[in-house]
Amino acid sequence: MNFSYPLLLDGATGSNLIAAGMNPGERTADFILSHPDIMTDLQRRYIEAGAVVIPAPTFGVNPTKFGAEYADTLRKLMSLTRNTVEKYGNGKVLISSDISPCGLFAEPMGTASFDDIYNDFAAQVKVFVEEGVDILTFMTMYSLYESRIALLACKELSDKPIFASVTVDQKGKTMTGSDIQTCVSLLGSLGASAAGLNCSTGPLDMISNIKAAFSAAKVPLYCKPNAGTDVDNYLSPSAFAEAMKLLISEGASVIGGCCGTSPEHIAAISQILPSCNMKQLEKKESLAVCTEKTLREFNGRIDLSPVYDVDGFLEDCFDFDSDEYSAAHIEISSVAEAKQLLSSCYMFDIPLAITCDDYAVAEKMAREYCGNLMFTDRCDFEPEQKYCLESHYASIFI
């Protein structure tokens, strides 16, 4: 699917529904299904304002939070949005999902496994695909690890475009400590059609984060700021649009609004788009390697440490000399060793280079490791196996 950039999205849902009578603690989906005309009117106004992508109001509807009701609720919300888009979109408006954090916390902070989180997202994606969604979007993600799993579920169960967005503070960090450069680089490498950030800050506070994100972006940059950081003094539609013009000039290309924005804010953006100069992506020449927390760029060779076994590395990782070595070189030979290493990755921020002759073990590492895993030339894999590790999991062979 080809998009024309800047691509204009909608604005907020929740804050507009609260203004229309929804109780702040009420489940959004319940309010919408009991007041469908309010949602239809809001989406109609976004379409008339110029939005060309309208998400179904499905944020927060998943198996973890809705139990057995999730699928039926998703279908009803998708149907409501589809009817609105068909009636008012003149065949020019696309429908996206709105997938949220699933509410499960990964080990060791929580009890959820990789598969637990994956299965929650997969269950949602299957419904969206069956209901004919045009774009799979997940947003307001506070964990790169969870975002990565959501993206894998989206691309393994569909060939639809994927928009991936995290939320960061003014310093560019997710709640779990990943920086915005790492997020957009890794999500772009893994196959997102657009990657970026939404919520948490207003457009003026977001400028420095957009600059940082653009420096690492490999795909169009997603950007949906709040109407401001002070809920009592949100930016007016015209002031918001002027601030968005600055963000577009710094590289934002898939744009809209989050909390506190309205159809009037989107209409104001639509009016200024013809006068915007969008910063263009350039091909990155240096090798970029992500850990869960940071992005490292290597313009020359990667210097590997002496070979560790898993136990040896986990004992010595805190003494790793990042000035002397680019990455820790670790040999693993079993699924048990892979699990042991994966369960400890959150403790350190060191790029890993793996030597392994068992493809099943290597794939488990590549699939569940939150970053670009490197494999050395000592790994004995078939060409198609190597291709899968590179193309599907964004692994790097050195």
Side-chain angles (χ1 to χ4, degrees):
M1 185 178 293
N2 295 319
F3 298 111
S4 178
Y5 301 104
L7 185 68
L8 187 56
L9 312 177
D10 69 338
T13 295
S15 54
N16 286 284
L17 295 182
I18 289 173
M22 184 176 76
N23 294 322
E26 187 175 358
R27 291 198 310 187
T28 303
D30 293 340
F31 178 83
I32 291 170
L33 293 178
S34 59
H35 301 82
D37 291 346
I38 292 177
M39 190 68 234
T40 295
D41 184 65
L42 179 62
Q43 291 181 328
R44 172 190 62 79
R45 291 166 59 207
Y46 278 130
I47 293 170
E48 292 175 350
V52 295
V53 179
I54 297 294
T58 55
F59 192 87
V61 181
N62 57 50
T64 298
K65 297 177 181 178
F66 273 68
E69 301 175 49
Y70 86 91
D72 186 53
T73 304
L74 289 178
R75 294 185 194 284
K76 290 177 179 177
L77 294 170
M78 275 289 296
S79 178
L80 180 66
T81 300
R82 186 167 53 250
N83 291 339
T84 304
V85 166
E86 288 176 354
K87 184 173 182 180
Y88 300 106
N90 295 317
K92 300 178 180 180
V93 176
L94 302 174
I95 300 173
S96 77
S97 65
D98 189 353
I99 299 172
S100 71
C102 68
L104 296 172
F105 293 91
E107 301 164 334
M109 274 64 92
T111 60
S113 68
F114 177 97
D115 288 340
D116 291 333
I117 299 172
Y118 180 92
N119 290 337
D120 188 288
F121 287 122
Q124 299 173 65
V125 171
K126 289 175 183 177
V127 175
F128 285 123
V129 172
E130 290 170 0
E131 293 297 313
V133 73
D134 298 302
I135 303 167
L136 287 165
T137 299
F138 57 85
M139 62 173 65
T140 326
M141 305 293 281
Y142 50 78
S143 161
L144 178 55
Y145 181 73
E146 186 175 1
S147 302
R148 184 181 181 280
I149 298 174
L151 198 153
L152 284 175
C154 288
K155 77 174 189 175
E156 289 175 354
L157 296 167
S158 170
D159 59 358
K160 303 291 184 181
I162 304 166
F163 291 171
S165 180
V166 299
T167 187
V168 298
D169 60 21
Q170 292 187 19
K171 295 180 180 179
K173 297 283 190 179
T174 67
M175 187 184 298
T176 54
S178 302
D179 62 50
I180 186 59
Q181 297 100 315
T182 304
C183 294
V184 298
S185 177
L186 181 59
L187 294 171
S189 295
L190 283 168
S193 304
L197 61 163
N198 74 289
C199 204
S200 293
T201 63
L204 296 174
D205 304 292
M206 200 175 273
I207 291 175
S208 61
N209 286 334
I210 285 294
K211 288 181 178 180
F214 187 80
S215 70
K218 301 176 181 179
V219 295
L221 194 55
Y222 185 100
C223 176
K224 289 187 78 175
N226 292 347
T229 53
D230 182 356
V231 296
D232 296 318
N233 293 284
Y234 275 149
L235 293 176
S236 67
S238 59
F240 184 82
E242 286 302 314
M244 289 301 297
K245 192 171 184 177
L246 293 174
L247 291 173
I248 293 169
S249 71
E250 294 296 342
S253 54
V254 180
I255 56 173
C258 206
C259 303
T261 59
S262 66
E264 288 70 31
H265 289 80
I266 300 305
I269 297 174
S270 181
Q271 291 170 8
I272 58 96
L273 281 183
S275 63
C276 288
N277 292 313
M278 188 180 71
K279 194 172 184 179
Q280 300 297 314
L281 279 173
E282 296 179 1
K283 185 178 179 180
K284 306 294 190 298
E285 298 297 338
S286 60
L287 175 64
V289 177
C290 294
T291 67
E292 185 171 3
K293 304 299 182 185
T294 59
L295 174 71
R296 312 282 178 88
E297 293 192 5
F298 302 101
N299 292 309
R301 56 180 288 178
I302 294 179
D303 296 313
L304 299 184
S305 72
V307 181
Y308 294 96
D309 60 25
V310 173
D311 289 332
F313 175 67
L314 296 180
E315 290 176 2
D316 298 337
C317 65
F318 296 107
D319 296 322
F320 181 86
D321 188 349
S322 59
D323 292 328
E324 184 174 4
Y325 302 115
S326 308
H329 182 189
I330 305 172
E331 285 189 340
I332 59 174
S333 58
S334 68
V335 170
E337 288 183 338
K339 288 180 178 178
Q340 184 181 4
L341 184 55
L342 288 165
S343 69
S344 304
C345 286
Y346 74 96
M347 294 191 301
F348 51 82
D349 186 27
I350 302 168
L352 302 182
I354 301 297
T355 294
C356 175
D357 288 332
D358 187 326
Y359 180 72
V361 176
E363 186 181 25
K364 181 174 181 62
M365 280 296 307
R367 184 172 180 77
E368 299 189 24
Y369 175 68
C370 189
N372 299 110
L373 194 64
M374 292 181 280
F375 289 96
T376 73
D377 58 8
R378 290 171 53 189
C379 299
D380 185 19
F381 300 138
E382 297 295 329
E384 61 270 20
Q385 294 173 331
K386 180 179 177 181
Y387 176 77
C388 179
L389 294 173
E390 289 177 318
S391 63
H392 195 72
Y393 300 114
S395 297
I396 298 167
F397 278 79
I398 57 174

